[in-house]
Amino acid sequence: MGPTILSSFGAAMLLRVPVGFALAAASFIAIWFTTDAPLSVGAQRLVAGMTPFPLLAIPLFVLAGAIMNEGGMTKRMLDLADSIVGGMRAGIAQTTVLSSLFFGGISGSAVASISSLGRILIPAMKERKYKPAYASAVMAAAPVVDPIMPPSITMIVYGVVSGTSIGALFFAGIVPAILYVAILMLVVHFTSKWLGFTDEAIQEARMLNRPIGTIAKEDRPAFLPSLWKATPALLLPLVILGGIRFGWFTPTEAAAVAVVYALLVGIFVYRELSWKKFLFGMADSALIVGLIMLVLAAAQIYSWALTLGLVPQTAAEAIFSITENPVILLLLINAVLLVVGMFVEANAALIILTPILYPVAIEAGIDPVHLGIIIVVNLSIGLLTPPVGIGLMLAAEIGKVSMLRAVKAVLPFLIAGLLYLLLITFVPEISLWLPNLMMQQ
């Protein structure tokens, strides 16, 4: 069954069949031709793929992020980021990096961040004489943190597919997310002077005798007022994680709390959430959730067909015949994930690979939470890698630059991301320290 389902899926992807339909079709073909199981079992599995209670967290978190965005959160988060890092070299690029961390604690989606923040920050960077390709590269690289920072849609998907605690995954993402932002801010600092600005911007900085790309003090929001205005939005991740830590609610119930909190903040605190904006957020969320749930439903029958065909066991035997060394094994897993991430969207790739890689990693003694962080970071970096590179593609479109120019500009960020990935992979304490501390009884 293994060769049949994998070859069918590969053929469907080459024909540009949407991932959800490709997974389902390949699974049904494998069941029809290689087993005696009735196809009605496949239909039951499709339904089962959408019914697990933890999956309810996905539409609720997506809706909460949309409500907060429509309710005025984005501007206040940007003002806060500007007040903190605007005085540094390449201030607005640093604002882009820091605001992505803030936004990731609400949206949980890198593509949502690029779509929302990119339409504000890329034109602002171009107006301040950044090269368009560099502005697009920064905007594409910064939201890589979003699937790592809780609440993360990708973490929820991994938790459901693998059976790993979603609460532990949320806590595991915090330190790696902060570390990624710190590394990216250093990369911006050291690359912006040579790669980021036009000659006109460099000459202007020399004339004014100030670091290039610095946002003038009179143009930066004051820190304390900005912090005060952004506090209601910043409290959302704390409410979610605190409630999970102290047992007040499960991750799924936390998502419902997040929606109520977002409504209260948008209506009564920021007072910018109108019925029109609310309905727009609902429609946008429904489209995103529909795509995710289609893939998850197909993933259930795909995972079942793989298990029926003994694909995970065969993969494990093949890998362990090469090596049983955990270090080399982790390098192989990273290599597979990076290659797949170049061609397949992150959530789809996670669903395709987790049933195969999870048993291998567990047998090798790799912690399932640590594996989850490795997988999510790998596939998040895939947002920057052509030929798909959906994050880079979207940022380049907003920045009105060619994909080739954007790829050249993003190379320093991609190299930094790969070094960061190695650090996350081989220093598991970065991911496991906080969940071990917070989730212990």
Side-chain angles (χ1 to χ4, degrees):
M1 174 181 282
T4 303
I5 190 171
L6 295 176
S7 60
S8 299
F9 176 74
M13 293 301 294
L14 289 174
L15 293 172
R16 297 184 179 274
V17 177
V19 172
F21 293 110
L23 283 171
S27 303
F28 276 112
I29 289 171
I31 293 171
W32 177 264
F33 285 105
T34 63
T35 74
D36 295 328
L39 291 182
S40 58
V41 174
Q44 294 169 2
R45 292 285 174 175
L46 282 173
V47 175
M50 295 184 288
T51 54
F53 181 68
L55 286 182
L56 184 59
I58 293 177
L60 291 173
F61 275 130
V62 171
L63 178 59
I67 292 171
M68 292 293 284
N69 189 29
E70 295 297 327
M73 174 275 301
T74 302
K75 182 180 183 303
R76 290 164 176 83
M77 299 292 247
L78 290 176
D79 285 346
L80 176 61
D82 256 346
S83 70
I84 296 172
V85 298
M88 300 170 61
R89 178 194 291 175
I92 195 168
Q94 301 288 16
T95 295
T96 301
V97 175
L98 190 58
S99 60
S100 292
L101 176 67
F102 294 156
F103 201 79
I106 294 171
S107 74
S109 167
V111 175
S113 287
I114 295 171
S115 181
S116 299
L117 298 177
R119 299 180 193 283
I120 300 171
L121 289 168
I122 291 179
M125 282 189 272
K126 291 168 68 176
E127 185 180 338
R128 288 173 171 81
K129 301 180 178 63
Y130 283 74
K131 292 178 181 177
Y134 188 82
S136 300
V138 172
M139 189 67 255
V144 166
V145 72
D146 291 4
I148 308 168
M149 185 70 182
S152 163
I153 303 303
T154 311
M155 293 284 196
I156 295 171
V157 173
Y158 172 80
V160 171
V161 173
S162 67
T164 306
S165 166
I166 295 173
L169 289 167
F170 279 2
F171 282 108
I174 296 175
V175 175
I178 295 172
L179 177 61
Y180 177 80
V181 167
I183 291 173
L184 206 63
M185 291 179 77
L186 287 173
V187 175
V188 168
H189 179 82
F190 289 111
T191 61
S192 58
K193 184 175 181 180
W194 298 278
L195 303 175
F197 294 96
T198 62
D199 293 338
E200 183 182 353
I202 296 172
Q203 292 172 4
E204 182 180 321
R206 287 172 180 168
M207 289 175 58
L208 296 174
N209 194 27
R210 70 184 189 196
I212 188 169
T214 303
I215 301 175
K217 187 174 181 180
E218 59 270 18
D219 295 333
R220 298 199 306 266
F223 172 68
L224 288 178
S226 299
L227 178 61
W228 174 252
K229 292 176 183 177
T231 295
L234 292 172
L235 285 176
L236 178 58
L238 296 179
V239 170
I240 293 169
L241 294 172
I244 294 172
R245 167 63 183 86
F246 294 108
W248 298 334
F249 37 72
T250 66
T252 306
E253 293 164 345
V257 171
V259 172
V260 175
Y261 182 87
L263 286 169
L264 293 175
V265 169
I267 295 172
F268 299 109
V269 180
Y270 293 157
R271 299 182 180 180
E272 292 187 19
L273 186 64
S274 63
W275 271 109
K276 183 177 180 179
K277 289 182 177 180
F278 175 72
L279 292 175
F280 180 82
M282 287 277 287
D284 196 39
S285 300
L287 179 61
I288 295 171
V289 170
L291 294 172
I292 294 173
M293 297 306 289
L294 171 64
V295 175
L296 286 173
Q300 178 67 23
I301 182 175
Y302 166 81
S303 299
W304 177 75
L306 285 180
T307 304
L308 191 64
L310 302 178
V311 173
Q313 296 89 325
T314 304
E317 291 173 4
I319 291 173
F320 284 124
S321 69
I322 299 172
T323 181
E324 295 186 9
N325 186 316
V327 173
I328 299 177
L329 182 62
L330 285 170
L331 287 173
L332 286 173
I333 289 174
N334 278 321
V336 169
L337 289 168
L338 285 170
V339 171
V340 172
M342 291 181 182
F343 300 95
V344 184
E345 188 271 333
N347 286 323
L350 186 151
I351 290 167
I352 294 164
L353 292 176
T354 299
I356 298 173
L357 296 178
Y358 183 85
V360 176
I362 298 305
E363 188 171 340
I366 299 170
D367 187 281
V369 173
H370 183 215
L371 177 66
I373 298 297
I374 292 172
I375 291 176
V376 171
V377 169
N378 263 288
L379 298 178
S380 298
I381 291 173
L383 293 167
L384 306 178
T385 53
V388 177
I390 187 170
L392 185 61
M393 190 181 300
L394 178 57
E397 183 180 339
I398 296 172
K400 295 181 171 57
V401 295
S402 69
M403 188 65 174
L404 180 59
R405 289 181 179 273
V407 168
K408 290 179 179 178
V410 87
L411 282 177
F413 302 99
L414 184 56
I415 292 170
L418 293 175
L419 294 174
Y420 162 76
L421 173 61
L422 291 176
L423 188 62
I424 292 296
T425 300
F426 294 110
V427 187
E429 290 78 13
I430 295 173
S431 304
L432 299 179
W433 170 74
L434 192 56
N436 288 341
L437 177 67
M438 300 300 293
M439 300 299 288
Q440 63 184 1
Q441 298 297 324

